[in-house]
């Protein structure tokens, strides 16, 4: 489709999102990046973060829990460890995960810091994205 980009977001839990969008932006391991249709091919790692896309007047937000993005001129495939559209984020679950991670980090003994910090980061960003939902 002219001036559109097929965006597909897949996780081990299934197909999370697929649509033709005008543009999208995400948190790459080397920094934030934006993609328009016709972009030169590239491959990048993805951090825990937010992917946002525009389709007409609509802006959508998707939580991405690390992964990779492969971009070719008319298509982008995101492979994430887990991902949810803003409207699918369970805020209570994210808050509970945040609390668990914070309590583990406070104890500061015999815990896997990297794991607790990642969990806290996921929960924090899920909560922020859930507040956005889809804007039309
Ligand atoms: P939790 O500690 O609550 O399980 P987590 O960050 O460890 O969170 P993940 O391993 O990232 O969870 O994801 C496991 C599955 O649960 C995935 O399908 C993911 O999309 C889903 N998931 C995790 N947290 C949420 C949430 N707050 N809202 C909706 N789905 C979620």
């Amino acid at each position: 489709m002219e001036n559109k980009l097929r965006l597909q977001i897949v996780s081990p839990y299934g197909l999370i999102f697929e649509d033709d969008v005008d543009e999208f932006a995400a948190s790459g391991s080397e920094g934030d990046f934006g993609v328009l249709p016709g972009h030169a091919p590239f491959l990048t790692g993805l951090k825990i973060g937010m992917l946002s896309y525009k389709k007409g007047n609509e802006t959508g937000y998707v939580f991405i829990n690390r992964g990779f993005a492969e971009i070719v001129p008319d298509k982008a495939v995101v492979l994430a460890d887990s991902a949810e559209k803003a409207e699918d984020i369970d805020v209570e679950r994210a808050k509970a995960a945040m609390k668990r991670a914070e309590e583990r980090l406070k104890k500061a003994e015999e815990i896997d810091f990297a794991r607790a910090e990642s969990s806290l980061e996921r929960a924090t960003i899920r909560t922020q994205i859930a507040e956005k939902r889809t804007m039309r």
Side-chain angles (χ1 to χ4, degrees):
M1 202 183 288
E2 229 174 287
N3 288 324
K4 290 272 182 195
L5 178 70
R6 189 83 180 156
L7 174 61
Q8 201 177 53
I9 303 173
V10 185
S11 86
Y13 304 94
L15 176 67
I16 308 299
F17 177 91
E18 184 165 24
D19 207 349
D20 292 314
V21 302
D22 298 315
E23 59 183 280
F24 78 93
S27 296
S29 40
E30 311 296 323
D32 293 351
F33 63 93
V35 176
L36 291 164
H39 201 292
F42 77 104
L43 181 67
T44 181
L46 296 174
K47 296 195 286 198
I48 294 172
M50 181 177 80
L51 180 151
S52 62
Y53 64 87
K54 283 200 174 122
K55 181 180 173 146
N57 296 327
E58 180 188 324
T59 306
Y61 302 95
V62 184
F63 169 76
I64 303 291
N65 175 23
R66 297 199 177 104
F68 291 93
E70 185 182 23
I71 287 97
V72 294
D74 62 348
K75 191 174 178 183
V77 179
V78 171
L79 298 174
D81 289 351
S82 59
E84 301 99 46
K85 291 190 276 184
E87 52 269 36
D88 293 335
I89 292 174
D90 178 339
V91 178
E92 290 311 310
R93 179 173 168 175
K95 284 190 177 156
M98 206 185 289
K99 206 166 158 220
R100 274 200 308 278
E102 279 168 349
E103 270 158 21
R104 278 191 202 114
L105 287 165
K106 258 191 251 159
K107 282 190 199 150
E109 54 187 37
E110 287 186 36
I111 63 152
D112 182 339
F113 262 98
R115 189 173 161 191
E117 275 174 348
S118 290
S119 178
L120 181 59
E121 199 180 350
R122 283 196 298 275
T124 304
I125 294 177
R126 277 182 171 122
T127 309
Q128 288 166 355
I129 296 175
E131 278 165 16
K132 292 178 171 279
R133 306 289 181 189
T134 306
M135 298 194 324
R136 279 168 207 276

